[in-house]
Amino acid sequence: MSKKRKKAQDLIITEVKNQLLLQAERWGRKDYYTPLKLEEIELEQCNKIVGEFLAEKSNLEYELHMLESDKKDVLAKMERLQIYLAKSARVAKKHENNIGKIIQQKIGDREKINAAVNKVDKKSAISVLISDN
Amino acid sequence: MSTDFSLNSGMARDKLYGLSKLKQQNQQQVQEQQQQNQVMQQPATSTIQWTQAAQAVEQVGNQNVQNQARGLEIQAPNLEDVAMLTSTVSTKEESIAHMVGQKIISHLGINVGALKEKFKEYYRQSKSHNLLLERFMANVKMSGLNAMLTLAGLSADEIEHTKAEVREEALKEIDSKLQQDWAYAKAMIEIVG
């Protein structure tokens, strides 16, 4: 696909998102669609697409084994589907990483937080052993 | 004739008799007007009764002026007295304005249901991302429709309930569009190309 076409597609997608967010703001949902929320929506749709691809794969397998159709054609479709499945898994992984990064930014440095928590909650030095006797 | 009326033993008998008769007649008239001014338990007449009472007071006042010109002075009830004379007041919501409004609406052949649908449509468009459309709908059409709906008899609570319904629908639609039109399309473009 040419760069120009891809750029145009990205522009349209961004414009659709901005318009919908503006409408939501006008209806009173100002801080509802945060970057985290949008990433979660994208991840959800990615997983939906993966599910659809897996369903298509099972249909193709059935067609390959059970039905008397052109096997070369079916095999070519299955190969292409495998590539798309791998790509969709990568995209889903990317969104998961983005979500992790956003959460990490909100939480902050884990080590510092653990140290602070340990200072506040002092663990007791006495340990009690409970036995059956 | 003197301007101040006072019963004087030196006055002529026939004149005294005539003046006392006139006074009795005026008292009767005032009593009749008091009976008229009593507010009945009828719907949608509270404003008319007050105006009637005010007109009655004016008439008595005019009569008072005429009597003063003749040389008599009669105490007529003031507007404050009218308030004391009325014992009960109608407090029903539906007023004359509502009834007149509904008559106008039915005379023009406007369907209230269709008006409500148009209101929902314009309210939806008044929250559009398009600035011109949003301003036009919000300022011009909505204000006109609000007035029409109140004239048609819809209460403020009903209008607010309608607005809340439209808001819920719109937010659901925005949510589904974000999922379908944006996120799904974006993911497919990234995967398939």
Side-chain angles (χ1 to χ4, degrees):
Chain A
M1 186 183 293
S2 64
K3 278 185 183 177
K4 221 176 177 179
R5 195 174 167 190
K6 198 173 183 316
K7 204 175 174 184
Q9 279 178 348
D10 287 341
L11 251 169
I12 290 166
I13 292 287
T14 316
E15 187 60 29
V16 165
K17 182 186 104 180
N18 291 338
Q19 284 180 7
L20 287 169
L21 293 181
L22 190 61
Q23 281 185 33
E25 206 178 295
R26 291 213 169 122
W27 281 111
R29 275 194 180 165
K30 277 192 177 177
D31 296 323
Y32 183 76
Y33 292 108
T34 55
L36 181 65
K37 179 80 182 171
L38 293 171
E39 285 289 338
E40 281 172 0
I41 292 171
E42 283 185 74
L43 180 65
E44 194 187 320
Q45 294 304 310
C46 267
N47 289 334
K48 191 178 168 187
I49 289 168
V50 166
E52 284 172 5
F53 281 155
L54 287 169
E56 183 63 23
K57 188 181 173 185
S58 66
N59 288 340
L60 285 170
E61 280 172 358
Y62 179 82
E63 201 180 325
L64 184 72
H65 298 301
M66 300 296 176
L67 301 174
E68 291 176 7
S69 54
D70 190 9
K71 296 206 174 177
K72 272 188 183 177
D73 201 26
V74 172
L75 280 167
K77 282 181 186 176
M78 280 182 78
E79 245 184 75
R80 217 181 300 168
L81 195 63
Q82 206 61 36
I83 296 166
Y84 291 151
L85 267 167
K87 253 188 172 177
S88 57
R90 279 202 298 275
V91 170
K93 187 80 185 164
K94 185 187 92 179
H95 286 302
E96 279 174 12
N97 290 339
N98 287 343
I99 287 167
K101 278 182 191 173
I102 292 167
I103 292 169
Q104 195 75 21
Q105 278 173 7
K106 287 191 176 183
I107 290 171
D109 193 4
R110 280 182 189 267
E111 284 178 5
K112 282 185 183 176
I113 288 166
N114 285 336
V117 166
N118 287 336
K119 271 189 184 176
V120 170
D121 290 335
K122 285 185 181 176
K123 288 177 187 173
S124 56
I126 301 165
S127 61
V128 178
L129 289 169
I130 300 167
S131 63
D132 288 333
N133 294 332
Chain B
M1 227 180 186
S2 60
T3 52
D4 296 328
F5 171 68
S6 56
L7 282 168
N8 199 354
S9 57
M11 268 182 135
R13 257 193 190 182
D14 53 352
K15 273 190 185 174
L16 261 173
Y17 180 73
L19 284 170
S20 65
K21 264 281 185 187
L22 196 66
K23 195 175 179 183
Q24 274 177 15
Q25 279 174 9
N26 284 328
Q27 277 177 356
Q28 273 177 7
Q29 280 176 4
V30 164
Q31 275 175 8
E32 277 170 21
Q33 275 157 6
Q34 279 176 15
Q35 280 170 7
Q36 281 177 6
N37 288 339
Q38 271 178 10
V39 177
M40 305 286 277
Q41 284 291 333
Q42 284 173 9
T45 53
S46 57
T47 48
I48 281 184
Q49 281 153 5
W50 282 108
T51 51
Q52 276 178 350
Q55 282 168 7
V57 165
E58 264 185 48
Q59 282 170 7
V60 169
N62 289 339
Q63 207 173 32
N64 201 8
V65 168
Q66 284 168 12
N67 288 336
Q68 275 183 347
R70 278 185 229 154
L72 295 169
E73 197 177 298
I74 297 162
Q75 285 293 322
N78 298 327
L79 202 59
E80 293 135 6
D81 296 336
V82 169
M84 284 168 64
L85 290 169
T86 54
S87 57
T88 54
V89 178
S90 173
T91 54
K92 205 169 177 183
E93 279 181 27
E94 212 176 295
S95 64
I96 285 286
H98 261 271
M99 285 167 62
V100 169
Q102 281 170 9
K103 278 186 182 174
I104 292 169
I105 293 288
S106 60
H107 182 69
L108 289 170
I110 295 170
N111 185 6
V112 179
L115 205 65
K116 219 175 168 181
E117 288 303 315
K118 277 287 175 187
F119 175 80
K120 284 182 182 178
E121 191 190 321
Y122 291 156
Y123 184 59
R124 189 77 188 269
Q125 287 176 1
S126 73
K127 306 286 181 188
S128 167
H129 56 274
N130 188 345
L131 191 67
L132 279 171
L133 183 71
E134 181 246 334
R135 291 280 162 90
F136 180 68
M137 286 294 174
N139 295 329
V140 177
K141 292 214 172 183
M142 285 300 296
S143 54
L145 263 179
N146 261 326
M148 290 278 278
L149 283 173
T150 46
L151 210 62
L154 259 75
S155 65
D157 286 339
E158 282 178 29
I159 293 171
E160 285 304 314
H161 182 69
T162 311
K163 281 185 180 179
E165 274 177 21
V166 173
R167 184 177 173 271
E168 283 299 314
E169 279 175 27
L171 286 171
K172 274 184 192 169
E173 203 180 306
I174 287 168
D175 212 25
S176 71
K177 276 187 176 177
L178 262 172
Q179 287 175 9
Q180 287 294 316
D181 291 357
W182 174 65
Y184 191 88
K186 191 180 173 195
M188 282 301 266
I189 287 167
E190 280 179 17
I191 294 164
V192 178

